[in-house]
């Protein structure tokens, strides 16, 4: 698996940066060295080939999901990291992939 996790939202600034920071902090707490970046959704097709894990803010379209599947990129929802509801299980699933 490529050692990079991206979080994508419309601009790659506010929401995705908040989620990326939360995930990076959890990785740090668990002693996991894994690159985490916020990106804008417009560049997602260019970002996927160098990515192992994609955390989305808005539901990606079918074309993006097909490309991620083709490349072996694991896809997870990011909103739970904002709301706190369900984020523990998603993080555990991500952590299992990166350890």
């Amino acid at each position: 698996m490529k050692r990079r996790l991206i979080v994508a939202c419309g601009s790659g600034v506010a929401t995705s940066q908040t989620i990326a920071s939360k995930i990076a902090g959890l990785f740090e707490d668990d002693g996991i060295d894994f690159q985490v970046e916020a990106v804008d959704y417009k560049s997602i097709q260019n970002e996927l080939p160098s990515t192992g894990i994609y955390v989305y803010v808005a539901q990606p379209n079918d074309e993006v999901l097909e490309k991620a599947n083709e490349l072996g990129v694991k896809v997870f929802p990011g909103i739970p990291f904002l709301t706190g509801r369900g984020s523990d299980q998603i993080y555990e699933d991500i952590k299992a992939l990166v350890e």
Side-chain angles (χ1 to χ4, degrees), residues 46-57:
N46 294 328
E47 300 288 348
L48 285 174
S50 63
T51 300
I53 300 169
Y54 164 35
V55 177
Y56 63 84
V57 176

Side-chain angles (χ1 to χ4, degrees), residues 8-95:
C9 71
S11 66
V13 179
T15 310
S16 59
Q17 187 59 55
T18 299
I19 295 169
S21 293
K22 286 186 180 189
I23 294 171
L26 290 167
F27 280 170
E28 187 175 327
D29 291 347
D30 288 332
I32 297 170
D33 181 24
F34 203 89
Q35 183 179 357
V36 179
E37 290 181 49
V39 301
D40 68 279
Y41 187 75
K42 293 183 292 286
S43 67
I44 197 71
Q45 291 285 5
N46 294 328
E47 300 288 348
L48 285 174
S50 63
T51 300
I53 300 169
Y54 164 35
V55 177
Y56 63 84
V57 176
Q59 178 68 38
N61 65 34
D62 289 342
E63 182 181 343
V64 168
L65 291 174
E66 287 170 14
K67 180 76 168 184
N69 186 50
E70 173 186 313
L71 294 168
V73 176
K74 303 301 181 194
V75 180
F76 296 92
I79 295 300
F81 290 100
L82 293 177
T83 66
R85 300 185 70 202
S87 63
D88 290 345
Q89 183 58 56
I90 294 169
Y91 177 68
E92 288 302 318
D93 292 346
I94 290 171
K95 188 170 121 175

